[in-house]
Amino acid sequence: MSALLQVRGLSHHYGRRIGCENVSFDLHPGELLCIVGESGSGKSTLLNTVAAQLTPTAGAVHYHQKNGDWLDLGALSEADRRRLAREEWGFVTQNPRDGLRLNVSAGANVAERLMALGQRDYGRLRDIARGWLERVEIDPARIDDAPTGFSGGMQQRLQIARTLVTQPRLVFMDEPTAGLDVSVQARILDLLRRLVNELGLAAIMVTHDLAVARLLAARTIVMQGGHVVESGLTDQILDDPQHAYTQLLVSSVLTT
Amino acid sequence: MSSTYNSNAYNFGFLDENTKRMLRRALLKAVAIPGYQVPFGSREMPLPYGWGTGGIQVTAALLGPNDVLKVIDQGADDTTNAVNIRRFFGRVAGVATTERTADASVIQTRHRIPETPLREDQLLVFQVPEPEPLRTLEPREAETRTMHALADYGLMHVKLYEDIAQYGHIATSYDYPVMVDGRFLTSPSPIPKFDNPKLDRSPALMLFGAGREKRLYAIPPYTRVESLAFDDHPFEIQRWEHRCAICNAGDSYLDEVVVDDRGTRMFVCSDTDYCSQRSDNAATEEAA
C-alpha cells in the first residue's frame, strides 16, 4: 500500500534555534502515528510543519491526494492549503476553545465545515449534527446550546465531532487529551480509537503521555531537542527502548 | 438654494479636484470588480462618522453642474440627515435638488432603495456603516480579505444557520448578505431585506461608500445579485397584514408609527415620495 504522507528531511528553525531537525517518516492510510517527547522537544513544531501551518526551513512533505496525485506541501498556494484543510484534513487543537467557534451553537460548530463545502440543506445539516453529537456522546438535545456552557471534556468531544464531520482522510491532533482529568481522558481516547477504526482515517497525534501512545498508536516517534531519537512500533519502543532518553521516558512512567 | 452657491468659497462639490479624481479612480475599479471592496483615502467631512461620510464623498465625486440630487434617509426626504445633506450640496455645488425619485439623476440613500423603479440614467449612492459582511463573525481584517480572495464563504451560512436554530427562520432582516455576480459576498448596507430583490439586475448603477472604514464598492447595472439562503429555508422578504394608511399601497415597505400615548399605531410607507405621489394621483383621479 502506498503512503499517504511522505516526510523527508524536514526541519523548522525559529531563527537560530531549532524547532525540529531532519525528520523523515511515512504515514500510511488508516494509520495512527504518535509523536512523544517532553515539553519543548519540538513535537508541536513538527506537527504544524507537516500540516503546512509552518513553513519548513529545509526538507519536504508530500501528500497523496484523494485524486491520486502527489502534492508538494512546500509549494502549496494558500488557496490549495485551505482547500486541503477544509476537504481532506482535520486539525484538533489542545485547547478546544482554539478550535471551536465559541459564539455559535454546538450544531453550527459541527455543521460549519459542511457548509463550507457547499451543503445548503438546513434539515440535513441538523440531522448530521445530531448524529455526530450522539457519536461523541453529547446529548443531541444540546444541539442549540453554546459550547461555552459545556465542560472541558465535552468541548473537546465537540471539537472532534466538528473536525471529523467531513470524514477527513488525515487528522492532526495536538495533545487532544492534555488538560483533562483522567476519567475524561480515558473516555476521549476510547472515543478516538473507535472513530479512527470506524472511519479508517490516518492521524498524527502529539502527546507527552506514553500511555496514550500505547493505547492508540501502531507506530511512535520519540523526540528530544528537536531531533527524532527513536522511531518504530509502539510496543517495541515502549517494551524495549534503545535510546537512553526513551529508556528514561519509559522508566519515569509510574507503574502500579 | 442654489442662489447661495459662491464659487469662491468652495471648490465645486466641496472636495478638491485631486480628491475627487482619487474617488473616481476607486469607483471605476469598484465597478470593474462588482462587489469588491476598494480601499480609498477617506477625507474628513463636515459631518460625523456614521452620518454618511462615505456616501457624501461618493456623491461629491459624481455630481456635475447639471445633476439633480435627491437624498433619502430611511426612505424619507424630510428627515434631518436627508435635509442637511441635500442642503449641503445645494450650497457647495449649487446643484438642483428634488424629492421626486423620477426627476433625480443622483440619489444618495441611507437604509432604503426607492420604491419607484430606477432607470439606467440614474445613480444610487449608499451610505455604508460596515462594508464587511463577515465582520461580526470574523474580527480580523487580514482574514476576511483572504476569505474574499479565495471565495471561502462557508462562515456566512453559520450566521444564517444560527438564525434558524434560534428563531425558526432566518431572522436577519436588514443588511442581509448577498452574493454579487456569483463571486463576492457583499453587504447591501443596512437596507431592509425587502429591498434586496431590487438590487438584482438593477438598471441603475449602485455605488456604496463607507467613510469610516475607507472602502468603496459597486454593483454595476444588470448584475446578478443573490441573497444567501438554505435550500429548505429560501430567502423571503418582509410582508405586512396592513396597507399604507395614507396612500393605501400594498406593495411598499411600511413603517409602524405610534400616533398617541395610548398605543395606537398606524402603518405608512417609509418612502415618502412614493407615498405622496400615490396620494396625489388618487386625489387627481377623484377630482376628474
Side-chain angles (χ1 to χ4, degrees):
Chain A
M1 194 155 49
S2 81
L4 186 67
L5 200 67
Q6 274 185 350
V7 180
R8 292 290 176 271
L10 195 68
S11 304
H12 181 83
H13 294 182
Y14 297 102
R16 276 164 41 208
R17 224 169 301 149
I18 291 174
C20 62
E21 179 77 11
N22 195 19
V23 179
S24 303
F25 64 85
D26 282 357
L27 185 76
H28 293 273
E31 185 182 31
L32 201 152
L33 175 77
C34 260
I35 305 172
V36 300
E38 64 190 355
S39 172
S41 60
K43 307 181 298 265
S44 294
T45 301
L46 175 59
L47 189 78
N48 286 321
T49 314
V50 172
Q53 296 194 341
L54 292 174
T55 319
T57 314
V61 183
H62 285 88
Y63 170 70
H64 199 180
Q65 270 182 287
K66 215 182 249 175
N67 63 15
D69 294 345
W70 280 95
L71 208 58
D72 178 4
L73 298 187
L76 209 57
S77 70
E78 174 71 7
D80 284 334
R81 193 187 72 73
R82 285 185 178 231
R83 187 189 57 75
L84 266 188
R86 201 163 59 212
E87 295 177 7
E88 303 197 11
W89 294 356
F91 204 104
V92 178
T93 60
Q94 174 177 355
N95 187 338
R97 290 181 285 286
D98 294 338
L100 290 174
R101 215 170 270 291
L102 287 175
N103 51 358
V104 299
S105 67
N109 268 289
V110 178
E112 180 179 344
R113 278 169 66 101
L114 292 170
M115 291 190 267
L117 295 183
Q119 173 73 252
R120 292 287 178 267
D121 188 318
Y122 177 78
R124 208 175 130 57
L125 288 168
R126 294 284 282 185
D127 290 342
I128 296 174
R130 275 201 204 90
W132 268 96
L133 290 179
E134 221 161 5
R135 268 175 112 158
V136 297
E137 299 165 19
I138 296 174
D139 181 0
R142 303 203 61 177
I143 185 166
D144 292 331
D145 292 357
T148 38
F150 288 8
S151 70
M154 278 170 84
Q155 286 181 351
Q156 193 55 281
R157 276 179 277 145
L158 182 63
Q159 194 193 182
I160 290 168
R162 167 188 162 86
T163 308
L164 298 187
V165 66
T166 50
Q167 314 248 343
R169 304 172 70 214
L170 174 59
V171 181
F172 301 95
M173 291 184 268
D174 193 355
E175 306 243 18
T177 58
L180 300 172
D181 65 56
V182 179
S183 63
V184 177
Q185 271 191 30
R187 219 164 136 197
I188 287 186
L189 291 174
D190 206 37
L191 180 77
L192 276 177
R193 187 164 57 171
R194 203 185 70 215
L195 290 175
V196 165
N197 282 335
E198 269 177 31
L199 303 174
L201 44 88
I204 302 179
M205 182 193 276
V206 161
T207 179
H208 60 261
D209 189 343
L210 293 180
V212 171
R214 168 88 82 181
L215 188 68
L216 292 178
R219 278 195 310 139
T220 295
I221 288 177
V222 184
M223 291 189 75
Q224 185 195 21
H227 297 267
V228 172
V229 295
E230 195 163 353
S231 68
L233 297 173
T234 306
D235 288 339
Q236 202 175 348
I237 285 179
L238 296 183
D239 294 340
D240 183 19
Q242 299 295 310
H243 191 272
Y245 174 71
T246 318
Q247 291 168 356
L248 185 75
L249 266 187
V250 171
S251 64
S252 66
V253 173
L254 293 174
T255 45
T256 46
Chain B
M1 218 168 298
S2 54
S3 59
T4 61
Y5 174 52
N6 176 351
S7 59
N8 295 322
Y10 296 101
N11 187 41
F12 178 81
F14 187 76
L15 293 172
D16 62 273
E17 290 305 312
N18 284 329
T19 300
K20 286 200 263 181
R21 179 183 293 177
M22 174 272 292
L23 277 155
R24 288 173 193 144
R25 289 170 73 121
L27 287 171
L28 285 174
K29 183 171 181 181
V31 171
I33 318 171
Y36 172 73
Q37 297 170 45
V38 184
F40 77 108
S42 180
R43 299 292 191 257
E44 288 282 328
M45 295 302 282
L47 79 167
Y49 287 136
W51 287 45
T53 50
I56 210 171
Q57 289 179 79
V58 173
T59 302
L62 295 173
L63 282 180
N66 300 323
D67 270 314
V68 181
L69 178 69
K70 171 185 163 83
V71 184
I72 51 173
D73 171 6
Q74 304 272 14
D77 292 275
D78 54 2
T79 49
T80 315
N81 199 255
V83 170
N84 282 312
I85 293 176
R86 197 163 57 230
R87 196 186 283 159
F88 173 79
F89 279 116
R91 179 179 293 173
V92 301
V95 294
T97 58
T98 182
E99 298 193 355
R100 292 178 60 113
T101 303
D103 295 346
S105 58
V106 178
I107 305 171
Q108 181 174 334
T109 176
R110 169 177 179 268
H111 297 192
R112 274 312 306 276
I113 296 175
E115 307 286 1
T116 311
L118 299 173
R119 303 182 310 262
E120 282 182 359
D121 61 344
Q122 292 179 308
L123 297 171
L124 191 58
V125 178
F126 292 78
Q127 304 171 195
V128 183
E130 175 51 78
E132 180 50 73
L134 295 160
R135 182 60 69 236
T136 49
L137 299 153
E138 175 51 65
R140 292 167 295 179
E141 173 71 10
E143 178 64 18
T144 50
R145 291 178 83 164
T146 312
M147 291 163 84
H148 282 297
L150 303 176
D152 188 359
Y153 291 139
L155 188 55
M156 199 69 235
H157 272 86
V158 171
K159 182 175 188 302
L160 302 181
Y161 172 99
E162 280 294 279
D163 265 7
I164 306 175
Q166 279 184 36
Y167 306 108
H169 62 100
I170 299 177
T172 303
S173 60
Y174 66 95
D175 207 350
Y176 191 104
V178 294
M179 195 63 108
V180 174
D181 202 23
R183 175 60 183 85
F184 280 102
L185 182 68
T186 305
S187 156
S189 87
I191 58 171
K193 63 180 172 184
F194 180 87
D195 286 341
N196 273 22
K198 295 180 195 158
L199 296 166
D200 187 32
R201 296 178 179 85
S202 158
L205 170 60
M206 307 205 174
L207 300 164
F208 298 76
R212 182 182 48 210
E213 305 295 329
K214 302 179 173 58
R215 294 287 185 277
L216 298 174
Y217 54 101
I219 300 178
Y222 303 109
T223 304
R224 191 159 46 94
V225 178
E226 294 155 285
S227 304
L228 299 189
F230 284 103
D231 296 343
D232 46 350
H233 282 82
F235 173 76
E236 280 175 354
I237 59 173
Q238 291 102 331
R239 298 188 193 288
W240 290 263
E241 292 165 7
H242 308 263
R243 300 176 80 85
C244 172
I246 299 171
C247 74
N248 201 33
D251 58 352
S252 77
Y253 188 83
L254 299 181
D255 283 339
E256 186 179 8
V257 184
V258 178
V259 291
D260 60 22
D261 54 7
R262 292 193 306 277
T264 316
R265 287 139 208 276
M266 67 189 269
F267 287 84
V268 293
C269 292
S270 101
D271 186 335
T272 50
D273 171 58
Y274 183 73
C275 196
S276 58
Q277 301 281 339
R278 280 180 50 92
S279 310
D280 290 352
N281 288 345
T284 327
E285 271 166 35
E286 236 167 71

